[in-house]
Amino acid sequence: MRSRTVVIESRDGTLSLIPFSERGSAYEQQVPDRREMRAFVCRQFKKQDVLWASEIQSVRDFGSESATQQVQTEVAYRLRKLRQDAETTFEYHLLNGIQGLVKDPKDHATVVNYFTEFGITPAAEIDFDLDNATPASGALRKRCQALIESVEDSMGGLSAGAVQIRAECGSAFFADLVAHKEVRETYLNTAAAADLRGRVADEVSFGGITFRRYRGGVGFTVPTDKAFFYPEGIEGLFEIYYAPADTFETVNTLGQPLYARTIPDRDRDEWVRLEIESNPLPICTRPQVLRQARRT
């Protein structure tokens, strides 16, 4: 995109069946979708580092890299660290995206709630009852099936085939899930039974849902007793729009995921400033398909 504002059109349309008609009869009329428009501004995050000449003074031994090579190596190292911070920030936005939210990484305040913006009531949180010492037979599998069917219903007919659901789980939720009687019995007679005797992998499939223990990043993760569910393979369900950087060179050009710049000290040649910038807007286009669950 070439601007800092994204206009999103919301439609209430769903797929429908076309009935048979007699030859020569009138056409079945398509009912126009109800449309609503919303404008969202791409948020910006940026970070910089400064490499001073004094920082690498007197650290080069005889026969080692030249001064120019040494500066280039240090610049590349610091830019790599900045890019890693950017990747962590993108991961943070993706985690919030499967909750239908955009949050500020600084204080985790909600900036955009797509449920509120599009007038959608979030589905009630599901109690997976994982701490039940004597669960009813098949109760967990039925709960998974009910969740899948709920997501399919909320997709308005767009799920023509089987819908694959993924869940990003907190540590306690995942631990109780893999220890659950139904899950253990499912895996006992499979090649994965060895996992039950040792350290359990970070991902397990059960009841048509792939559960993953979410490790998180610096300062963010899935709450330990929670799980966030979302369908996979739905085209356009999650999008990230990028606005161009705040420079004359990039104005009105297509936005890129990340901009990296090196700005030398042209007056005294004492430092070089390293900068990264991104202007993303992560969007969940159908927040009504998202689900949350608690361990108990």
Side-chain angles (χ1 to χ4, degrees):
M1 54 177 290
R2 301 175 186 270
S3 68
R4 300 186 64 84
T5 302
V6 178
V7 178
I8 304 297
E9 180 182 66
S10 173
R11 297 187 179 187
D12 64 353
T14 60
L15 301 185
S16 60
L17 299 177
I18 303 174
F20 287 132
S21 58
E22 296 294 331
R23 295 184 183 275
S25 64
Y27 282 85
E28 178 79 9
Q29 294 297 311
Q30 179 74 290
V31 178
D33 293 341
R34 179 173 57 86
R35 301 183 179 187
E36 295 182 3
M37 307 292 285
R38 294 286 190 281
F40 301 98
V41 177
C42 291
R43 304 285 171 164
Q44 182 183 78
F45 70 80
K46 54 188 178 181
K47 192 173 184 179
Q48 71 174 22
D49 193 1
V50 178
L51 174 62
W52 292 85
S54 58
E55 293 183 71
I56 56 175
Q57 180 70 32
S58 303
V59 297
R60 180 167 54 92
D61 296 328
F62 177 79
S64 63
E65 295 177 321
S66 68
T68 300
Q69 290 173 326
Q70 189 180 25
V71 171
Q72 291 174 342
T73 299
E74 184 65 19
V75 166
Y77 169 74
R78 296 196 181 195
L79 275 176
R80 186 165 61 252
K81 288 186 63 178
L82 289 173
R83 289 180 183 274
Q84 289 171 348
D85 288 346
E87 290 299 323
T88 301
T89 305
F90 288 135
E91 175 68 18
Y92 174 79
H93 287 309
L94 291 175
L95 177 63
N96 291 315
I98 63 175
Q99 303 170 65
L101 304 172
V102 177
K103 291 187 176 183
D104 187 339
K106 181 178 180 179
D107 56 7
H108 308 299
T110 298
V111 177
V112 181
N113 184 322
Y114 288 113
F115 291 100
T116 303
E117 292 292 339
F118 293 113
I120 297 170
T121 301
E125 187 178 66
I126 303 164
D127 181 359
F128 259 57
D129 196 28
L130 294 176
D131 66 337
N132 191 337
T134 57
S137 178
L140 182 59
R141 188 174 295 275
K142 290 179 181 178
R143 199 167 286 115
C144 291
Q145 183 63 29
L147 188 151
I148 293 172
E149 292 177 358
S150 170
V151 171
E152 290 174 339
D153 291 343
S154 65
M155 293 180 68
L158 292 181
S159 56
V163 175
Q164 178 60 51
I165 306 295
R166 287 190 68 89
E168 305 295 345
C169 308
S171 296
F173 186 102
F174 188 81
D176 280 2
L177 175 79
V178 297
H180 194 279
K181 179 181 178 181
E182 286 186 52
V183 177
R184 292 181 64 84
E185 289 177 348
T186 298
Y187 279 87
L188 278 176
N189 296 318
T190 69
D195 290 342
L196 300 177
R197 297 189 294 270
R199 184 181 184 277
V200 179
D202 288 337
E203 188 171 292
V204 63
S205 294
F206 176 80
I209 300 175
T210 301
F211 297 87
R212 183 176 72 144
R213 182 175 70 88
Y214 188 82
R215 296 183 179 181
V218 180
F220 66 93
T221 188
V222 176
T224 187
D225 288 328
K226 304 289 185 180
F228 302 136
F229 297 79
Y230 60 98
E232 280 190 309
I234 306 301
E235 184 177 358
L237 177 59
F238 297 105
E239 300 281 1
I240 300 183
Y241 296 94
Y242 299 99
D246 291 337
T247 64
F248 286 110
E249 180 184 6
T250 59
V251 67
N252 291 328
T253 62
L254 290 175
Q256 301 299 314
L258 189 67
Y259 295 90
R261 296 184 288 268
T262 57
I263 304 173
D265 176 11
R266 300 189 184 280
D267 295 327
R268 294 180 298 277
D269 195 29
E270 293 181 354
W271 48 261
V272 58
R273 187 164 70 243
L274 316 173
E275 296 180 347
I276 60 166
E277 174 189 341
S278 184
N279 302 276
L281 179 64
I283 292 180
C284 176
T285 58
R286 299 182 71 87
Q288 62 267 37
V289 306
L290 306 178
R291 297 292 183 272
Q292 295 190 21
R294 62 182 183 273
R295 183 177 63 90
T296 180

